[in-house]
Amino acid sequence: MLSGLGLDETCGAVYQAVLFSPGGATPDGIAADLRVPVAEVRDGLARLRELGLVRPIFEAAGAFRAVSPAVGFAPLIARAEAEASARSRAVAAARAHVEEMASRFGTAPHDRGGDSAVLLGEAEAWEAVQQVAEDVKTCVRVFAAAGPAPGLSAENYDPAHRLAVRAVERGAEVRLIVLDSVRSAPDVLEGVRWMSSKGVTVRSVPALPAWMFLVDDSYTLMALDPAGYRAGVIAFRAPGPMAAARDLFDRRWAAGCCLGEDPEPAEERPTAQQNEVLRLLAEGAKDEAVARCMGVSTRTVRRLIADIGERLGAESRFQIAVRATERGWLR
């Protein structure tokens, strides 16, 4: 109870032992009463004497008498109150300084440009992605494209998974679109299923253009380079780009499959992956670009193209395009 005034437990007990011994108390007697070593009692008495709480009785060698609590503790209490007041003023000053810095700096990197687009490098990109889980109020919509999340230095999705669950725990709806290719990546699929078990709504599609985070209808973060996680992100709030990002997400979400569903349609139609390959090839994308967009290897893309050619009886990519259009696979 007296630690706030500079007395430890032993000193407090020794003081009370002396206080309740009107005729005075000796170290040996106090040690016997408290059942502590006499050396500790002597140290306690020395500290109490230093603080002006006990005085030696000169007519009784080795004995001590307590100074009245009202008199002895008054200066200690006054000093403690002064220190507490000074500490309180220091904390208030520090709070004001932090608030002033925050008003000049912005609450997060993506806030610095208002409605203007803001480019953030690798370090700030991950800071901004982390801030998403704290900013979201109703819903965050995420494209989990191929490769690591912006700002992460390795193809490790766990930190992003934890952020998604953090947003759910704060009461937000999280809609996550992943690539169909995660179904053949056990480690990644395990993380996606863990998020789903925690309340994240997940759908998969054959391909995604880039990592994207659409936070409420407030702002969007989008990877600058789909092939380079170190390039950072672009953050924007302007209504036009926000509407385009929302439309892009909603279209992919409507076309996506839940994890428990088969992403491949009926046998007479191309699979979802084959359909995406056809679309990207028709746009002139090279095999490497198709592979990056779909989160698969170039070898897988070439196998898909070969399978399409076999189904269509086509021997070249030109013939594939023609016959796919004839069958209504390409529009």
Side-chain angles (χ1 to χ4, degrees), residues 203-226:
R203 292 188 180 182
S204 70
V205 297
L208 290 170
W211 276 84
M212 181 177 74
F213 303 83
L214 181 58
V215 186
D216 300 321
D217 286 314
S218 177
Y219 69 90
T220 295
L221 300 176
M222 186 177 294
L224 280 173
D225 182 359

Side-chain angles (χ1 to χ4, degrees), residues 138-162:
T138 58
C139 182
V140 58
R141 302 166 178 86
V142 184
F143 276 178
L152 289 182
S153 58
E155 199 157 324
N156 177 10
Y157 297 89
D158 288 346
H161 293 169
R162 290 193 293 271

Side-chain angles (χ1 to χ4, degrees), residues 76-216:
L76 300 182
I77 292 173
R79 184 174 65 187
E81 289 176 340
E83 291 174 350
S85 179
R87 176 63 178 166
S88 179
R89 291 194 299 271
V91 170
R95 181 187 295 111
H97 184 56
V98 169
E99 290 174 353
E100 191 272 337
M101 288 191 296
S103 67
R104 292 170 54 192
F105 186 75
T107 58
H110 57 75
D111 283 333
R112 296 176 199 164
D115 283 348
S116 303
V118 180
L119 301 180
L120 304 175
E122 181 182 358
E124 286 190 325
W126 180 239
E127 181 184 343
V129 171
Q130 290 177 296
Q131 188 65 33
V132 166
E134 305 304 320
D135 288 343
V136 63
K137 294 178 175 61
T138 58
C139 182
V140 58
R141 302 166 178 86
V142 184
F143 276 178
L152 289 182
S153 58
E155 199 157 324
N156 177 10
Y157 297 89
D158 288 346
H161 293 169
R162 290 193 293 271
L163 288 179
V165 172
R166 164 68 177 157
V168 171
E169 291 172 346
R170 295 185 66 249
E173 178 188 10
V174 178
R175 294 187 177 186
L176 173 66
I177 301 180
V178 300
L179 294 168
D180 287 340
S181 59
V182 305
R183 298 168 187 266
S184 57
D187 291 344
V188 180
L189 184 59
E190 181 182 355
V192 172
R193 284 177 171 160
W194 175 76
M195 285 189 293
S196 181
S197 72
K198 297 294 184 179
V200 177
T201 307
V202 184
R203 292 188 180 182
S204 70
V205 297
L208 290 170
W211 276 84
M212 181 177 74
F213 303 83
L214 181 58
V215 186
D216 300 321

Side-chain angles (χ1 to χ4, degrees), residues 43-57:
D43 290 342
L45 287 168
R47 176 61 176 158
L48 292 170
R49 188 173 180 183
E50 177 185 341
L51 294 173
L53 294 172
V54 297
R55 293 173 181 166
I57 303 175

